[in-house]
Amino acid sequence: MTSAPVPVLLFLAHSTLVTAGGGSMGGTGMGGPMSMSGPMWMPDQPLTYLRLFAFHPQPIPIFPVIGVLLAVAYLAGVFVLHRRGDDWPKGRIVWWMLGVFTLELMTATGFDGYGMDFFSIHMVQHMVIGMVTPILLMLGAPVTLMLRALPATGGRRSPRHLLLLFLHSRFATVVASPVVTVLLFLFSLYVLYFTPLIDWLMGTWWGHNLMLFHFLAIGCLYFWGILGVDPSPRRGGGIMGAFSRPVLRIAELSATVPFHAFFGIVFMMATTVMVKYYSTTLPWATSTPLSDQQTAGGIAWAFTELPTLLVLGVLFLQWQRSEDRAAKRQARRVAKFGDVDLDAYNASLAALARRDEVSAQHDGTR
């Protein structure tokens, strides 16, 4: 596993601001960011921390609206439970709202505009939406909330029954399998950035938003299975059920770490600009596209560590709680029925002792 302490992240963030410079409006006839088509806001002032974090949604704020809808829908589900007299953990509400906050931060501020101009800012946006936001949202246990809040009336057409059908469907089993999720998670990096696909997507407003949606969807699918907070096809028996064990989930998480780190190292060590869209030298930038690409690679490498540590912490707590629950079940069993295993062990020892005694008496009579 790679190591990227917090000071490295701070240094990379500072380097991004220093080397970036500024932005512009798209559609002026130049290549790269200047040729972006569609209703996309592109900054026209030098990049600073204040402008990067300033509230500035796009003319058509798709993802900010999605974030608001996610927050409202989640709180509506919690309200349904409370009105029914059921409790819902406050920690899960906090996790979900933090996930919505990170989505809004990356799409309703200067990040979305400056990410169209600079590869380093785009990489921050990708890493947060594709890794941090999904982890936080999945820790909010949205599937569990839907199963408890959705109405069960209506028979087979009820929303709850349809959700259960999906969770038990063959499609969900295939999509949620570790092989598929790992491949999709890694292909999102290598196929996108090492082919002309990113140039095609970044050249249009709809392609840019489709790419962000892909990052979010694949990240949620990947961490849905690894975190194991919500019901999923991995909760069943057989091979899929075996992958719900914490040890195998940790192994699944660790399997992607070297590939993700190598992805960042490639951009850090490259001597030429690898993404054509970001190869244009902007008039207001104080850096070259190559140096900005190297910063983007450092950001991708550094982000390998943060989500990994967060997920490992969650898996460790889950394992510890499962051990505590098993110990409590054993204690209740002993209190109710006695220590059956210990009694059986003592009975076996007593039987062996009696057999030895009979054998000794038999030898003495000879």
Side-chain angles (χ1 to χ4, degrees):
M1 184 178 299
T2 59
S3 178
V6 174
V8 174
L9 290 175
L10 297 177
F11 169 76
L12 291 171
H14 177 71
S15 300
T16 300
L17 291 171
V18 172
T19 60
S24 176
M25 300 297 293
T28 61
M30 296 178 63
M34 305 301 292
S35 61
M36 168 62 175
S37 64
M40 189 77 183
W41 167 73
M42 309 280 282
D44 57 0
Q45 293 180 329
L47 177 60
T48 62
Y49 281 111
L50 184 61
R51 290 174 182 145
L52 185 63
F53 287 92
F55 178 73
H56 203 307
Q58 295 294 337
I60 304 179
I62 295 179
F63 280 93
V65 172
I66 290 177
V68 172
L69 293 177
L70 289 175
V72 171
Y74 193 91
L75 292 178
V78 175
F79 175 75
V80 170
L81 294 184
H82 280 282
R83 188 177 59 180
R84 212 163 54 200
D86 298 333
D87 292 330
W88 183 255
K90 293 181 175 60
R92 291 182 175 179
I93 301 176
V94 173
W95 287 122
W96 182 266
M97 292 305 166
L98 285 176
V100 172
F101 171 76
T102 58
L103 181 63
E104 297 289 336
L105 179 64
M106 291 295 108
T107 58
T109 64
F111 276 98
D112 205 26
Y114 282 108
M116 299 299 298
D117 285 345
F118 301 103
F119 193 27
S120 54
I121 302 299
H122 165 83
M123 191 59 66
V124 174
Q125 190 182 32
H126 176 183
M127 294 296 108
V128 173
I129 293 179
M131 299 181 72
V132 178
T133 302
I135 292 174
L136 298 174
L137 291 179
M138 292 301 100
L139 288 176
V143 178
T144 303
L145 179 62
M146 287 190 291
L147 288 174
R148 294 182 59 183
L150 288 175
T153 57
R156 294 184 176 181
R157 295 183 179 181
S158 67
R160 186 175 184 275
H161 181 74
L162 294 177
L163 178 58
L164 287 172
L165 285 179
F166 169 76
L167 293 175
H168 293 91
S169 66
R170 181 174 298 180
F171 172 78
T173 301
V174 173
V175 172
S177 65
V179 175
V180 174
T181 56
V182 169
L183 290 178
L184 288 175
F185 190 72
L186 293 178
F187 283 175
S188 298
L189 293 175
Y190 288 88
V191 175
L192 177 63
Y193 289 99
F194 294 158
T195 67
L197 181 60
I198 186 172
D199 299 318
W200 181 62
L201 292 174
M202 291 293 290
T204 61
W205 165 83
W206 67 265
H208 171 71
N209 286 280
L210 178 63
M211 181 171 52
L212 295 183
F213 179 79
H214 173 79
F215 294 155
L216 181 62
I218 296 301
C220 288
L221 178 64
Y222 177 70
F223 290 106
W224 176 38
I226 287 182
L227 290 172
V229 176
D230 269 329
S232 72
R234 300 191 187 190
R235 292 289 186 90
I239 297 177
M240 288 294 288
F243 283 103
S244 64
R245 298 174 183 175
V247 174
L248 293 181
R249 283 187 280 152
I250 292 175
E252 180 183 351
L253 175 67
S254 302
T256 62
V257 171
F259 295 97
H260 204 283
F262 178 75
F263 167 81
I265 293 174
V266 168
F267 283 108
M268 291 175 63
M269 303 300 293
T271 57
T272 59
V273 178
M274 301 179 62
V275 180
K276 183 179 179 182
Y277 175 85
Y278 289 107
S279 63
T280 303
T281 302
L282 301 177
W284 49 86
T286 59
S287 68
T288 64
L290 181 59
S291 63
D292 185 60
Q293 175 181 278
Q294 292 168 347
T295 302
I299 292 171
W301 170 78
F303 260 94
T304 305
E305 186 75 9
L306 296 180
T308 301
L309 292 176
L310 177 59
V311 174
L312 286 177
V314 172
L315 293 178
F316 174 77
L317 291 177
Q318 290 178 352
W319 170 78
Q320 188 178 41
R321 290 173 181 174
S322 65
E323 292 293 322
D324 292 340
R325 287 194 295 267
K328 291 179 180 178
R329 286 196 300 268
Q330 180 64 19
R332 290 194 297 268
R333 178 185 175 188
V334 171
K336 186 174 182 180
F337 302 105
D339 196 335
V340 179
D341 295 333
L342 181 59
D343 293 342
Y345 179 71
N346 290 334
S348 177
L349 291 178
L352 290 174
R354 286 195 299 269
R355 188 175 63 182
D356 292 341
E357 182 179 356
V358 171
S359 178
Q361 292 177 354
H362 179 71
D363 293 339
T365 58
R366 291 184 176 179

